[in-house]
Amino acid sequence: MLGLLRTGLPALRAAAGSQLQARSSQHDASARARLLLSQLFQPLNLQVGGVAGCEGQAAELGCRSHRLMLQGGLIHPASPGCYHLLPPAVRSMEKLIRLIDGAMRNIGGQKVNMPSLSSAELWRTSGRWEQMGPELFRLADRHGKEYCLGPTHEEAVSELVAAHGNLSYRQLPLRLYQVTRKFRDEPKPRFGLLRSREFYMKDMYTFDTSEEAARHTYELVCAAYRSLFKRLGLRCVQVRAATGTIGGTASHEFQLPADIGEDRLVLCPAGHFAANVELVDEEQTACPACGEKLTQSRGIEVGHTFYLGTKYSSVHNAAFYTPENKLQLAEMGCYGLGVTRILAASIEVLSTEDSIRWPSLIAPYQVCFIPPKKGSKEERGAALLERLYDEVAEALPGLVGDAVLDDRTQMTIGKRLKDANKLGYPYVVVAGKRVCEDPPVFEVWDQSSGTVLYLTREGVIELLSKVQLP
């Protein structure tokens, strides 16, 4: 027996050592996986007026979203009308694109990716090379062949569909869309991402067998847009609009009402009529449907839809075979959503003067954990908060990458909480004075409601389990 004990003790010690080593390795892995605020490439300038790289453009910073996005380390100016999108802004944009992809898939959209460089010949064929004027970025290659950087892709997609000359009516409706960079040579770019020279846009192009079918597609896309903005918690107004240089016979804009909006809108208080002022006679003061007095508002255009008919399909011969085996031109529509503009516009309409507020679905990060200040009475609560962070990651793997640990423990909790409020995390979990209780109690700040909850570890995990992600 003694011999067995002698041989067993080293084995037990080895097993215990292995378990400790495993726990230590797990702890090290968790620590490495934590998203630390100090390591994020998000240059913060959260003091009022403290924005680097803006060259004193005070008037331009009068736009709330531009100022907040610069202060919060979301964007950085590269050149007039062009911005670097920094990691938090990219995260938010990718979430928005996931929502848009889902909305487009639900109505039969198929995603493509067309070149940004578009041949001048295509644009001359449609007449828009001259019509677009100086807003079109034009360039030539080394052989003298002319191109433009596409602000939109009606010509390109019409040529693409026309190249497949054996298209059958059975393959329609065809709904192709992309989310890509677009370019417009704005004479006076301003308001940050609200009016820039380079931007991201979702553009869908549809091909139908008849005008009736095309108008059904039109209503389908408009409904998808309304649903998307409702899901984001944004009040969006669909208004009648001019067709402009894109053309067609019907058009609607999707506008977020905002004081800095560049579009003037006339609205019926009862919701029976809404239009861009450019479509309304100056003498028209009453709703044509109910007679109510029309009100005026300003809006930021975040989406635009067009019923094109055969304007482009006739030029590029985008046709299909009917049941009678005859070639017929496809009826087209095009539908845009300003992706980067939606990011900025949502901040513009939801935020306060000094604090970002996001549609919660597209916030760059969903939750920020704030441990106690180093050297404070509550410092021993830091390990408890880190353990909670790791447990949340384990219990809610969908939140991995969406939880930030503010490890700037040389700063007070109050200062970091103020920063978290300015950055707009939907939830902030704080190891405050009650973290030393048994069991530990954490403060949870719900930014959407402005309330503070006091929850145990289990309560925090249960609350965060209800967070919705795109």
Side-chain angles (χ1 to χ4, degrees):
M1 178 66 72
L2 189 60
L4 285 172
L5 285 173
R6 282 175 181 157
T7 56
L9 282 172
L12 286 170
R13 289 194 192 102
S18 297
Q19 288 176 351
L20 286 170
Q21 189 175 8
R23 288 196 195 109
S24 176
S25 297
Q26 288 173 355
H27 175 77
D28 290 345
S30 297
R32 283 195 300 272
R34 292 175 194 143
L35 201 59
L36 304 180
L37 184 60
S38 66
Q39 294 178 2
L40 296 181
F41 187 61
Q42 185 177 6
L44 302 179
N45 297 283
L46 296 175
Q47 285 70 36
V48 176
V51 179
C54 292
E55 301 172 4
Q57 299 172 24
E60 192 172 336
L61 294 182
C63 165
R64 178 190 301 154
S65 58
H66 188 196
R67 184 178 69 255
L68 291 175
M69 294 183 86
L70 287 165
Q71 290 174 349
L74 299 171
I75 60 174
H76 184 84
S79 60
C82 296
Y83 291 86
H84 300 285
L85 300 183
L86 303 185
V90 171
R91 283 183 59 83
S92 183
M93 185 174 73
E94 287 174 345
K95 289 180 177 183
L96 177 56
I97 290 171
R98 281 201 291 275
L99 290 174
I100 291 171
D101 283 338
M104 295 301 97
R105 280 197 304 270
N106 287 343
I107 57 171
Q110 300 180 61
K111 198 169 188 177
V112 296
N113 197 312
M114 291 179 274
S116 294
L117 275 179
S118 193
S119 165
E121 296 168 15
L122 273 179
W123 286 69
R124 286 196 175 100
T125 303
S126 68
R128 290 209 297 170
W129 184 260
E130 294 78 19
Q131 186 184 2
M132 287 291 291
E135 288 192 1
L136 199 62
F137 273 111
R138 305 162 199 260
L139 65 156
D141 67 13
R142 66 184 67 194
H143 307 295
K145 186 175 174 60
E146 292 181 293
Y147 295 88
C148 67
L149 290 173
T152 182
H153 279 74
E154 286 79 12
E155 287 83 358
V157 76
S158 300
E159 185 193 45
L160 172 64
V161 170
H164 298 275
N166 58 348
L167 196 66
S168 165
Y169 72 95
R170 293 188 183 91
Q171 295 169 270
L172 303 183
L174 180 61
R175 295 164 183 161
L176 304 176
Y177 81 99
Q178 61 178 353
V179 181
T180 57
R181 291 176 187 263
K182 301 292 190 294
F183 304 85
R184 184 180 294 121
D185 192 358
E186 291 283 355
K188 292 182 179 179
R190 57 179 182 159
F191 296 153
L193 299 186
L194 290 180
R195 183 160 291 281
S196 54
R197 286 177 166 166
E198 182 177 353
F199 50 94
Y200 278 88
M201 188 170 82
K202 187 284 303 179
D203 42 325
M204 173 177 264
Y205 305 92
T206 62
F207 299 80
D208 280 277
T209 57
S210 65
E211 179 177 344
E212 181 183 3
R215 290 194 179 276
H216 171 71
T217 291
Y218 190 94
E219 293 304 321
L220 205 62
V221 179
C222 287
Y225 280 16
R226 292 192 297 269
S227 177
L228 174 68
F229 289 115
K230 184 177 180 181
R231 197 173 172 199
L232 289 170
L234 297 171
R235 179 184 168 236
C236 190
V237 183
Q238 180 179 340
V239 304
R240 299 178 188 178
T243 56
T245 57
I246 287 180
T249 56
S251 172
H252 287 86
E253 293 167 346
F254 290 76
Q255 298 271 357
L256 297 188
D259 292 339
I260 66 143
E262 296 184 289
D263 290 300
R264 290 170 54 218
L265 317 174
V266 286
L267 309 171
C268 167
H272 297 131
F273 180 81
N276 193 303
V277 74
E278 62 191 1
L279 283 190
V280 179
D281 191 309
E282 289 183 10
E283 297 176 3
Q284 183 178 343
T285 58
C287 172
C290 68
E292 285 274 346
K293 185 178 179 181
L294 294 173
T295 62
Q296 289 209 10
S297 173
R298 288 192 170 274
I300 302 169
E301 180 191 333
V302 288
H304 208 149
T305 58
F306 299 84
Y307 169 60
L308 299 173
T310 59
K311 173 179 170 64
Y312 295 92
S313 56
S314 61
V315 171
H316 300 286
N317 199 30
F320 66 96
Y321 282 97
T322 67
E324 294 77 30
N325 205 34
K326 293 182 179 179
L327 275 176
Q328 182 174 313
L329 292 173
E331 295 276 336
M332 289 179 61
C334 67
Y335 311 86
L337 280 176
V339 176
T340 39
R341 186 178 283 189
I342 290 172
L343 294 186
S346 62
I347 290 174
E348 186 68 38
V349 301
L350 296 178
S351 301
T352 66
E353 283 303 316
D354 65 351
S355 298
I356 293 173
R357 288 297 175 267
W358 293 95
S360 59
L361 276 172
I362 61 171
Y365 306 101
Q366 288 294 325
V367 57
C368 177
F369 290 81
I370 300 181
K373 182 183 179 182
K374 192 173 183 179
S376 67
K377 289 185 294 184
E378 297 84 19
E379 185 178 4
R380 63 191 180 94
L384 295 172
L385 188 84
E386 289 175 359
R387 191 182 307 159
L388 175 61
Y389 181 103
D390 297 339
E391 288 173 344
V392 167
E394 185 177 348
L396 307 171
L399 280 180
V400 172
D402 259 288
V404 175
L405 182 66
D406 189 343
D407 58 328
R408 301 174 299 166
T409 53
Q410 76 279 9
M411 296 166 57
T412 64
I413 284 178
K415 178 65 174 70
R416 283 176 287 159
L417 191 56
K418 189 175 180 181
D419 286 355
N421 181 56
K422 287 184 175 183
L423 292 171
Y425 301 103
Y427 293 97
V428 182
V429 180
V430 180
K433 293 179 180 178
R434 295 186 61 185
V435 76
C436 297
E437 295 180 8
D438 187 17
V441 175
F442 301 91
E443 297 175 24
V444 183
W445 294 69
D446 181 342
Q447 302 285 27
S448 62
S449 63
T451 57
V452 184
L453 304 171
Y454 294 91
L455 302 173
T456 62
R457 162 190 158 279
E458 293 82 5
V460 173
I461 293 173
E462 183 183 357
L463 177 68
L464 295 181
S465 71
K466 298 172 184 176
V467 169
Q468 291 189 341
L469 297 169

